[in-house]
Amino acid sequence: MARPNPDLTLKTQRAFAEGRFAACLKAARAAIKANGAQPVLLTLAGLSCANLGQHSEALRFFTQLVKTSPNDPAARQNRIQALLSTGDTKRALTEVEAALARWPDMPALLRLRINACLAAEDLAAARTAVDAAISVTPQDAVLHGLRAQIALDNRDNAAALDSLETAVTLAPNNPDLRLQYAEYLLEHANPDQAGDQIETGLQAFPDHIGLCLLQARLYGAIGQPQMASTAYARILAQIPTHPIALNGMAYTADAQAAALLLEPLKSAADAEKRGSPLHVLLTFALARAERTVGAPEAAKTLASGNRLAARAMPYDAKAEVAEHREMLDLTDAMTPVTASCRGPVPVFVVGLIRSGTSLCEQVMAAHPQITGFGELTQMGNAVRSALRDDTQAHDLAATYLSALPALPTDATAFVDKMPENFRFIGPILRAFPNAVVIEMQRDPRDVALSMWDSLFPTTAHAYANDFAWMAQHMNHYARVMADWRAAFGDRIHAMRYSELVTDLDGTSHRLAELCGVPWDSAMLNPQDVNRPVLTASSQQVRAPVHTRSLGRWQGHTEQLAPLLAGLDRTLWPEL
């Protein structure tokens, strides 16, 4: 038998301390062979495997470690984490409960239980688990931040806000919690408070990447592109190839600045795996910069970005059709609410993406008695919960209203301009007898070109990267709206984009009437509204209303051939 070699153990420990995990694993294997399966060696070998992404091998080492040290809770923790990393959530849950039976107040195990519940997608259990952990360590600010995220996933905004306020109070110098709080505030229509949180965080941590990115996003949302560029430049000064900052700069740069971005964007895109989300993002950003400087290859780059995005996110037309059937059934099963809800009138602006919903909302939000909330996900969340839980219309209304951001006390109406709410018009009108639904209508050929120019990195808009898919989705959209009109008639109000931009005075009077407020001349200057716009239209709505986008498709008929061939003329008779 070989003599023990303590130098191998020291070599293993030194390699791990220096972050050389491959070298550590190699040394650990040699030390285990020479010195036996000592707990320290099994631990370092397992942790090295985990850092190298070799989770199955890490599990093997940690399993051996538990056998060697059955009374060591740290050994149990490492094995449970390895089970989670290998996707064995069920066994991880079983073992974490068994470990907590022996060590009930151990914070690390309590955190593992939270992670196991989240991995199992059991939000109710995760909330119970995080509450149990907080009861043991109530001053742990990170736990309160985690509780906030779980509350958001449960669509409990009040609990999320309470937890975030507690978290930043307990740890005012934690920039990640400050960032989480600011993100919540921005997403829930509190841009001023979000800005205050960002500034507070940056005073203590001026180079915090997440805070700098959110500051840049906020500046872009409130129409200050130069300030946004400055914030992105601060990030690029630290990390010249930061993909999100490069992308942001591409969309805020003038021609001179865009010219300086071309080579960094190309290099950054080439450094990413082809077809990966960041590669697609940077390809679209490069196309934008090329267009800004007037480069002839911009169209080719944009086409490449759309092809890559389409390959990564295929469009599922059958799923859309199936969802609509579910919405029709849900609507039929709901007993309509007859008494109008107290408070401001809910106004839902729906339509195809890039159909002018942002401009429509901006015109209404210019009125001092109308609050614009932007694109809210609350209705989609509430409807899908109703579908799952067999909820009635009055419960749907209560769930939606409870999840809204705070409204000004003098608001007469509020606007939810999520275009995708066209899918849920039936349940909306069952739940809100006083709801106003405004459908933005725009030439589908102009809509398609606008979709093509923008990256929508979600599967909900997968159709936007292929003209034939756009046609399929547009036909589906037209059929859905025909069903809702057949069921609800004049409760759905059509607003043509062409009329909005050519007759702002007339259409703004009509919008004011729909919202139940007297017309206000501020509605003629929507570009002056001081509110964040967190959509692809954030720059367009800052410009005075114009007609330059009308009929843009006419110069692109060859490019639009797949769309034109796919659009059903019985659904789009104006074509």
Side-chain angles (χ1 to χ4, degrees), residues 73 76-77 80 94-104 109:
R76 301 274 178 176
Q77 294 164 26
I80 293 166
T94 299
E95 294 198 12
V96 77
E97 292 299 340
L100 281 167
R102 294 185 63 183
W103 302 286
L109 286 172

Side-chain angles (χ1 to χ4, degrees), residues 45-63 78-79 81-88:
L47 292 175
S48 294
C49 287
N51 279 286
L52 293 168
Q54 300 174 15
H55 299 296
S56 295
E57 188 67 5
L59 178 59
R60 189 179 70 80
F61 282 114
F62 290 139
T63 299
N78 284 327
R79 175 174 155 79
Q81 183 58 63
L83 286 168
L84 289 173
S85 298
T86 55
D88 195 343

Side-chain angles (χ1 to χ4, degrees), residues 113-183:
R113 179 162 62 182
I114 300 168
N115 294 339
C117 291
L118 290 173
E121 299 181 351
D122 188 340
L123 292 177
R127 187 161 186 167
T128 300
V130 77
D131 287 343
I134 288 173
S135 70
V136 173
T137 52
Q139 300 302 306
D140 189 328
V142 175
L143 279 177
H144 287 278
L146 184 55
R147 186 178 187 273
Q149 187 55 56
I150 293 169
L152 280 177
D153 291 340
N154 273 305
R155 296 180 286 280
D156 188 344
N157 287 342
L161 180 58
D162 179 68
S163 294
L164 286 169
E165 290 174 343
T166 301
V168 295
T169 300
L170 289 171
N173 293 322
N174 184 317
D176 296 325
L177 290 174
R178 189 74 65 176
L179 171 63
Q180 186 182 358
Y181 187 27
E183 286 174 334

